[in-house]
Amino acid sequence: MRLALGLAPSIAAISLFFAVTAAGTARAQNAAAEALFTDGERLIKEGKIAEACDAFEGSNRLEPRAGTLVNLGLCREQNGQLAAAWSAFKDAASRAKDPKKKQIATEKVKAIEPKLSYLTISVADESRIEGLVVTRNGEPVDAALWNRAIPVDGGKYIVGGRAPGHEEWATTIEVPSEHGKVSVEVPRFKELAKLVTPGPTDPKANTSNAPDDDLLLVRPSTFTGKRKIAVGVAAVGVVAIAGGVLFGTQAKGFEDDAFALCPDPSTPCPDGDKANDLMDKGQSRAMFANVSYGVGAAALIGAGVLWFLGAPTTTESRISVVPRAGATTAGIDMTVRF
């Protein structure tokens, strides 16, 4: 049995101190627990009540004893922590083998119990969503304690709750040191806004009919209007280049036929008129080939620009591309409007 110390300014606490110490002394088997107990006695004498309570509580964790619990109860009572004191005295009464200690603890339980303050955390059925965690000052409250009046020390408490996919909730309340009955009702938690990617058959794909509390994330199509135009322009470019190849082939054929008729332009040729006609046709086809190549190249470049600018975006832009071809020049006119 430990030496029990419970110095306090009140006559009742001093009387209890003498009653406990009169039961006798014994050294603790756990050296660390004994050191904390001794430290608690010193802190009590120095008037450091809160620190002394921590020391007695640490000693009791290492080696639970009725004498330590009585001193812890006295310390908590002096510190205004009636619920903690009541709990310590109840534990001491159940552990005590010494009749005097048991009597002291039992009397203190009876004296403190009418003064206790209670906190009830009410959780209605509609608030009991899957994964709900209710906390008190950041510590989870067991579901078995919901909707029950639990003795607590006086002071401020932050009661909160969280659940997957729902907004967190918290409120601060203050419980009186004595005779308090405070109740906190946990509300129905609001669902967080959802990010939805509607599929081809998703009825919510039409965002105009979507509910206001849902955030619809619709993936934009890769083939935007601009990119569709780009594909068309690219097709024009391919056709133009193919035409250029055809015209170029014809031009080369006419030129070869002309040289076949008149191999040496410096000497008279009986088929000179026919050869000149073939050369004129070849030059005409060559000009068409050059124009086709120019139009095709310009169209392909314009298609590339359109494809790049036509990437899915939330910003509307308008682009017009007009191929331009002349007798000796080819190109595109592009207008961009934002």
Side-chain angles (χ1 to χ4, degrees):
M1 179 176 59
R2 286 199 183 125
L3 175 64
L5 295 178
L7 296 179
S10 67
I11 296 176
I14 295 174
S15 298
L16 281 171
F17 161 69
F18 283 115
V20 174
T21 54
T25 62
R27 295 191 59 81
Q29 296 177 359
N30 189 310
E34 181 65 22
L36 284 171
F37 185 86
T38 303
D39 198 34
E41 290 180 309
R42 176 183 60 79
L43 291 167
I44 281 286
K45 292 177 182 178
E46 294 175 359
K48 300 177 180 178
I49 306 301
E51 292 88 338
C53 293
D54 292 340
F56 285 133
E57 188 167 354
S59 177
N60 187 67
R61 279 197 303 270
L62 294 174
E63 187 179 13
R65 285 178 173 265
T68 306
L69 285 166
V70 169
N71 279 271
L72 177 59
L74 291 170
C75 187
R76 293 297 188 195
E77 184 180 14
Q78 294 175 49
N79 203 41
Q81 298 170 279
L82 295 186
W86 174 77
S87 179
F89 285 128
K90 280 184 71 71
D91 198 3
S94 64
R95 288 178 177 274
K97 296 180 180 179
D98 183 275
K100 292 184 178 179
K101 289 183 180 180
K102 191 175 187 68
Q103 181 183 358
I104 293 171
T106 302
E107 289 178 354
K108 291 300 294 181
V109 168
K110 292 180 181 179
I112 293 176
E113 194 162 345
K115 302 178 183 179
L116 289 175
S117 289
Y118 295 86
L119 173 61
T120 303
I121 300 178
S122 301
V123 185
D125 291 340
E126 58 269 21
S127 298
R128 298 195 179 202
I129 54 182
E130 185 177 357
L132 174 62
V133 177
V134 177
T135 59
R136 190 180 75 189
N137 287 351
E139 297 295 327
V141 178
D142 193 285
L145 300 179
W146 298 353
N147 301 324
R148 297 179 184 274
I150 306 300
V152 294
D153 295 327
K156 289 186 178 181
Y157 291 89
I158 300 175
V159 178
R162 60 181 181 272
H166 292 74
E167 293 182 0
E168 292 191 11
W169 166 85
T171 186
T172 302
I173 49 95
E174 186 163 358
V175 179
S177 298
E178 298 182 17
H179 308 292
K181 292 186 184 297
V182 179
S183 179
V184 178
E185 186 171 331
V186 176
R188 183 173 181 176
F189 288 76
K190 296 181 179 179
E191 289 192 54
L192 293 172
K194 297 178 181 178
L195 292 180
V196 181
T197 303
T201 60
D202 192 336
K204 290 187 177 180
N206 183 5
T207 58
S208 62
N209 297 327
D212 293 339
D213 56 351
D214 284 340
L215 175 61
L216 299 180
L217 181 62
V218 182
R219 295 182 183 277
S221 173
T222 301
F223 286 94
T224 61
K226 300 180 188 66
R227 286 192 168 183
K228 291 178 181 178
I229 296 174
V231 172
V233 173
V236 171
V238 171
V239 171
I241 290 177
V245 172
L246 177 62
F247 287 133
T249 302
Q250 291 177 348
K252 184 69 167 59
F254 287 134
E255 184 180 350
D256 290 342
D257 292 343
F259 276 107
L261 292 173
C262 299
D264 188 0
S266 61
T267 61
C269 177
D271 296 322
D273 292 339
K274 189 175 181 179
N276 288 332
D277 185 56
L278 289 173
M279 287 296 294
D280 290 340
K281 290 181 178 179
Q283 290 176 355
S284 176
R285 295 296 190 278
M287 182 188 69
F288 288 142
N290 291 334
V291 171
S292 296
Y293 285 138
V295 171
L300 290 177
I301 293 173
V305 173
L306 273 174
W307 184 270
F308 176 76
L309 295 178
T313 178
T314 57
T315 303
E316 286 292 334
S317 60
R318 295 185 178 182
I319 301 177
S320 60
V321 177
V322 180
R324 173 169 45 83
T328 58
T329 63
I332 59 171
D333 293 328
M334 179 180 295
T335 304
V336 181
R337 297 193 301 275
F338 295 96

